[in-house]
């Protein structure tokens, strides 16, 4: 990621913060629409799960400034009990639902440059998330 892309992701994420509850609701509605099999993995309180999601995103967005974001994300995931599914392939719908949510939440402010920055962020963070969530599979 370029420094400009990191800045775009961080500034657009800060714009979402005031509507984070709605953003979390949009995210999960979209996630379960495109990957209904994932809904069974989220057994807790939906409000609490939304708060965990937004917190995990905040940590991930901050971690973009690091050369290796894995340690920051790993510490947070462990403390928040964040899960992504039973296999790494289940991570893909998470990224798609996130981009869709940002597009809805930011409206016209979700420019092609911001989309590209978020896609680059997902590409950068996905390997770290797979390594954290599925260490055995990541090593293979």
């Amino acid at each position: 990621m370029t420094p400009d892309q990191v800045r775009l992701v961080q500034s657009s994420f800060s714009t979402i913060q005031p509507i984070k509850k709605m953003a979390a609701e949009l995210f999960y509605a979209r996630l379960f629409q495109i990957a209904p099999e994932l809904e069974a993995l989220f057994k807790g309180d939906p409000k609490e799960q939304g708060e965990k999601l937004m917190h995990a995103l905040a940590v991930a967005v901050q971690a973009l400034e690091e050369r290796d974001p894995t340690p920051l994300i790993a510490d947070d995931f462990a403390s928040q009990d964040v899960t992504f599914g039973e296999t790494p392939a289940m991570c893909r719908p998470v990224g798609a639902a996130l981009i869709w949510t940002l597009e809805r939440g930011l409206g016209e402010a979700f420019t092609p440059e911001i989309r590209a920055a978020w896609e680059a962020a997902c590409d950068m963070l996905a390997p770290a998330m797979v390594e954290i969530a599925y260490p055995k599979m990541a090593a293979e």
Side-chain angles (χ1 to χ4, degrees):
M1 284 189 74
T2 68
D4 283 343
Q5 287 177 316
V6 171
R7 182 187 52 77
L8 285 171
V9 167
Q10 290 176 336
S11 65
S12 60
F13 186 71
S14 70
T15 303
I16 293 290
Q17 287 299 310
I19 61 165
K20 64 184 179 183
K21 180 181 176 188
M22 182 187 76
E25 290 170 2
L26 284 171
F27 170 84
Y28 283 111
R30 180 63 176 171
L31 179 63
F32 300 149
Q33 181 182 37
I34 61 176
E37 68 278 9
L38 294 182
E39 190 167 6
L41 300 174
F42 296 91
K43 299 180 188 340
D45 175 30
K47 181 181 174 186
E48 184 179 322
Q49 191 65 40
E51 290 170 4
K52 286 181 181 182
L53 166 73
M54 296 309 290
H55 177 80
L57 279 173
V59 169
V61 165
Q62 176 126 22
L64 292 174
E65 296 175 350
E66 302 296 321
R67 267 201 149 86
D68 180 8
T70 307
L72 282 174
I73 297 169
D75 287 347
D76 187 62
F77 283 11
S79 69
Q80 293 290 318
D81 189 30
V82 175
T83 57
F84 289 100
E86 295 172 357
T87 68
M90 291 181 176
C91 297
R92 288 186 195 103
V94 171
L98 175 61
I99 297 295
W100 183 91
T101 300
L102 291 164
E103 186 175 29
R104 298 309 176 279
L106 294 172
E108 291 181 9
F110 194 67
T111 64
E113 293 80 16
I114 291 175
R115 174 187 291 277
W118 274 97
E119 288 172 349
C122 288
D123 289 346
M124 178 182 163
L125 294 171
M129 292 178 179
V130 169
E131 181 180 331
I132 294 160
Y134 314 100
K136 184 178 178 188
M137 289 180 180
E140 294 174 353

